[in-house]
Amino acid sequence: MAKESRLAASLCIISAARDPAVVERVTRAAVISRDGTRIAIPLTLPPCAHLKRLHIAQGKNFPQTSVLNVFADHDYNRSVITIVGPLSKLGDPVVSACTEALNLIDLHQHTGVHPCLGAVDLVPVYPLAKDVGLDECGDVAETIARQLADHFHHFSAFLFGAADRPQRRSLLQRRREFGWFTGGLPSPAGMLPDVGPLPNSHHGLTAIGASPYVLNCNVTIDTAEMQVGQRIAASVRASSIGGLPGVQSMALPNKGRIEIACNLLSLPEDCGSAKEVPEDVSTSPACLEARVRELALSEGVSVIGCALVGLTRRQCRALAVKAIAEGIPDYWKLRQVTMM
């Protein structure tokens, strides 16, 4: 039976979702080491093609790691690939997946409503077990960044959290510094990346770092009015007066409505109340949805629904133990994940 000892997770977030074959190739690269061998897979599958229809016959699995979940959003044109394993084993599959994404995704061709700066937009490393420290995760995150820079001479990244030494600036702060919310790449007179040269318009700029686990939760309101969504997003944000603890939020259009897209920050592992909060977060998705519903009602609109993007920390940890113990590197297939 696998143990929780030394487990960590990385969420590889890529700026692609509308071509399932691209998402599949990046996901499979996190499972199979091909030792530099390129496998040609047609990129002409229909939009609803199931992930199981593609097969890579060469290469071998990365040891003791697994892809637990794949979440792809068409309107955002953005996918989240959850990779887990012992911290010492996590770097190789993450570098492999990012390498495939950088080979396949051209920001010149990218359109989507979600902010992004890079073909690989975000690579956080999260501790899943109590015996894994943030500084260790920061070491792994920085190593990932350096290895990608060795593979791609034009690869550029900024570091955040425990990988950003000595400042340890948060992802939110670093995104503001580099213009992530406005979508503008840094100019020669602006901020310089921490790794690599000034970003080019093909690969863009990647955020790589380490922090406590972050749960993504989106609440959809029944309106297309962006100003309504922006007011609600501002009201639930932890930085606002009366906001919810540990909530970062923004309003985005999605499927003709407005989505309040939120990051829910984790409670500390040693927090006594964590036992009473199944999601291990400062504000639960249920509390977030209730507050958004209240605010939406005051605006004269209703809430359509609430969705988690990926897994809670406890789910991630439990499934990581199961997948590794049973030797299932492509665990996401067993969960019958569909392209969203």
Side-chain angles (χ1 to χ4, degrees), residues 106-171:
D106 182 356
L107 279 188
H108 287 116
Q109 309 300 322
H110 177 79
T111 58
V113 300
H114 199 289
C116 75
L117 286 182
V120 177
D121 197 53
L122 174 62
V123 183
V125 178
Y126 301 136
L128 289 180
K130 293 181 180 180
D131 60 350
V132 175
L134 276 179
D135 285 337
E136 295 177 279
C137 292
D139 291 339
V140 170
E142 185 174 0
T143 298
I144 290 169
R146 302 291 176 192
Q147 288 181 343
L148 288 171
D150 288 342
H151 283 307
F152 296 91
H153 295 305
H154 297 294
F155 176 78
S156 305
F158 65 83
L159 304 175
F160 67 89
D164 175 41
R165 300 180 176 99
Q167 298 96 327
R168 301 175 76 94
R169 289 164 289 187
S170 69
L171 174 61

Side-chain angles (χ1 to χ4, degrees), residues 260-325:
I260 311 302
C262 301
N263 289 337
L264 307 181
L265 306 187
S266 293
L267 287 164
E269 282 277 8
D270 58 357
C271 179
S273 62
K275 297 178 181 179
E276 301 163 11
V277 183
E279 296 86 3
D280 280 355
V281 285
S282 299
T283 294
S284 71
C287 289
L288 172 67
E289 182 181 7
R291 180 58 177 152
V292 170
R293 191 179 300 278
E294 179 184 0
L295 292 165
L297 183 61
S298 70
E299 297 276 359
V301 299
S302 59
V303 166
I304 299 297
C306 178
L308 299 184
V309 180
L311 305 163
T312 69
R313 180 171 60 178
R314 290 184 182 180
Q315 288 174 330
C316 192
R317 186 161 51 200
L319 290 179
V321 170
K322 178 178 175 62
I324 294 168

Side-chain angles (χ1 to χ4, degrees), residues 205-269:
L205 181 66
T206 301
I208 302 180
S211 75
Y213 196 91
V214 175
L215 176 62
N216 305 117
C217 180
N218 299 336
V219 183
T220 303
I221 57 176
D222 193 15
T223 181
E225 293 293 327
M226 178 58 71
Q227 290 184 342
V228 171
Q230 288 173 338
R231 286 194 293 269
I232 293 173
S235 295
V236 299
R237 204 171 290 148
S239 58
S240 298
I241 297 174
L244 299 175
V247 173
Q248 299 169 342
S249 59
M250 58 183 173
L252 296 169
N254 194 283
K255 297 180 177 64
R257 296 185 173 93
I258 300 298
E259 199 163 71
I260 311 302
C262 301
N263 289 337
L264 307 181
L265 306 187
S266 293
L267 287 164
E269 282 277 8

